[in-house]
Amino acid sequence: MVGMPGAGRYAPSPSGDLHYGNLRTALLAWLWARSTGRDFRMRVDDIDTQRSSAISAERQLADLAALGIDWDGDVLFQHDRFDAYANALDHLEQRGLVYECYCSRREIQEASRAPHAVPGSYPGNCRLLDDATRAQRRADLAAVGRVPALRLRADVTQWTVHDFFAGDYTGDVDDMVLRRGGQAPDWAYNLAVVGDDAFQGVDQVVRGRDLLSSAPRQSYLAGLLGIEAPDYVHVPLVLSPTGRRLAKRDGAVTLREMLHDATPGEVVSRLAVSLGFGPVSAAAELLEVFDPAVLSGEDYVWG
């Protein structure tokens, strides 16, 4: 798929039905891609094999289609891309950009609370270990049936991206996990999403602004892999009446629940109104009047 025209995408994690906030972001991603002449790709981010469900994925895709959100090409499933992630990791390893990490979550949390540590970032505990220490730590993990995580040896601590709403945004870059350790090693999200977007020809990423802080890490990693970073659009969130990000616990907020009292067209119309456009009868009608320039940068409160 590489080399095809630019594309936008939506990539839900199949861990439950999509709620109003998810649907609003999906609709915006579709509108942004279609209004700029791009293809629109669909991907199922099921890299977390413990939480992902094939049934959930089917329901999510059916819900999106019911709202008039269509996509080009086949749906891409991350569980089919593990060999590609291994190849990307090998590319980084050959350049000396990968090292083993033996830290437990508790060790990382304790280190991140130290003075001058960047909250939420890996403090580099295992980056400079000597070979003897590495061999011992590796053996200690093997004795309990575990393998070390693999981290990126980053040579920057910050990176700047440009976002439609935030403008130039500089965020922290740490030695991010590329492959998780433990008893059942899993591929890490940052490595997967960068490679998947490139594979699908995605050059425009529209997603919730709670993910803005991930963009510098992903943009930096893309550069190391020889991939051009996409245009970023981190859209406002849907909040509950209490001011928290909307969640399924906030009431009848999934499409399936809303369809008890409304048609798909009425749900799309409500979404359109939340975006500052008048009532519409279908997603295609909203596309005709969609203009990113008039969108509000403020979060929308459900209610």
Side-chain angles (χ1 to χ4, degrees):
M1 291 185 187
V2 175
M4 296 182 69
R9 53 85 158 167
Y10 187 61
S13 298
S15 57
D17 288 341
L18 299 174
H19 61 62
Y20 189 85
N22 305 138
L23 298 171
R24 191 173 188 262
T25 299
L27 181 61
L28 278 169
W30 180 82
L31 289 167
W32 230 290
R34 295 299 189 209
S35 67
T36 54
R38 288 174 165 87
D39 287 343
F40 189 65
R41 307 293 181 197
M42 187 64 61
R43 183 171 75 240
V44 175
D45 279 0
D46 58 356
I47 194 170
D48 187 342
T49 56
Q50 301 300 313
R51 299 182 58 194
S52 297
S53 160
I55 294 176
S56 177
E58 291 178 6
R59 288 170 65 95
Q60 290 180 348
L61 295 172
D63 286 355
L64 294 169
L67 293 183
I69 297 174
D70 62 346
W71 51 88
D72 301 288
D74 296 331
V75 177
L76 182 69
F77 290 82
Q78 285 187 325
H79 70 248
D80 292 327
R81 294 270 298 154
F82 288 179
D83 286 346
Y85 307 152
N87 289 337
L89 178 66
D90 182 63
H91 175 75
L92 296 171
E93 285 182 318
Q94 290 181 15
R95 297 166 58 194
L97 296 176
V98 179
Y99 67 90
E100 292 181 343
C101 176
Y102 317 96
C103 298
S104 66
R105 290 183 180 179
R106 186 180 68 179
E107 289 172 328
I108 295 173
Q109 290 172 350
E110 290 175 350
S112 66
R113 289 195 293 265
H116 309 300
V118 178
S121 294
Y122 179 66
N125 297 26
C126 296
R127 183 178 177 124
L128 299 177
L129 296 179
D130 58 49
D131 290 344
T133 303
R134 289 188 183 281
Q136 184 60 58
R137 295 294 299 271
R138 191 182 304 118
D140 291 343
L141 287 179
V144 292
R146 302 174 68 87
V147 299
L150 297 178
R151 290 187 179 272
L152 176 71
R153 189 181 298 275
D155 61 3
V156 302
T157 57
Q158 291 187 319
W159 197 255
T160 300
V161 299
H162 185 80
D163 177 74
F164 180 86
F165 286 101
D168 289 338
Y169 173 80
T170 301
D172 296 320
V173 174
D174 63 355
D175 288 359
M176 67 193 86
V177 171
L178 302 171
R179 192 199 69 189
R180 302 188 184 283
Q183 293 178 324
D186 286 322
W187 295 106
Y189 177 75
N190 284 322
L191 180 67
V193 70
V194 167
D196 292 342
D197 282 343
F199 179 73
Q200 291 190 288
V202 171
D203 66 349
Q204 180 191 79
V205 170
V206 179
R207 57 189 181 188
R209 70 175 175 192
D210 56 322
L211 295 174
L212 177 59
S213 63
S214 298
R217 289 183 175 91
Q218 292 168 7
S219 177
Y220 172 69
L221 179 58
L224 293 179
L225 291 171
I227 297 168
E228 185 174 352
D231 293 335
Y232 289 108
V233 183
H234 289 87
V235 300
L237 303 176
V238 177
L239 304 180
S240 71
T242 61
R244 297 180 180 178
R245 183 184 176 187
L246 189 70
K248 298 180 183 69
R249 63 175 177 272
D250 292 312
V253 296
T254 69
L255 178 62
R256 307 233 169 186
E257 292 166 335
M258 288 186 282
L259 291 181
H260 291 159
D261 303 306
T263 66
E266 288 170 337
V267 174
V268 171
S269 186
R270 181 173 182 179
L271 289 165
V273 171
S274 81
L275 296 171
F277 299 95
V280 298
S281 60
E285 183 180 338
L286 175 57
L287 179 58
E288 294 179 359
V289 298
F290 177 70
D291 181 2
V294 303
L295 287 172
S296 170
E298 299 298 318
D299 292 330
Y300 176 77
V301 179
W302 166 267

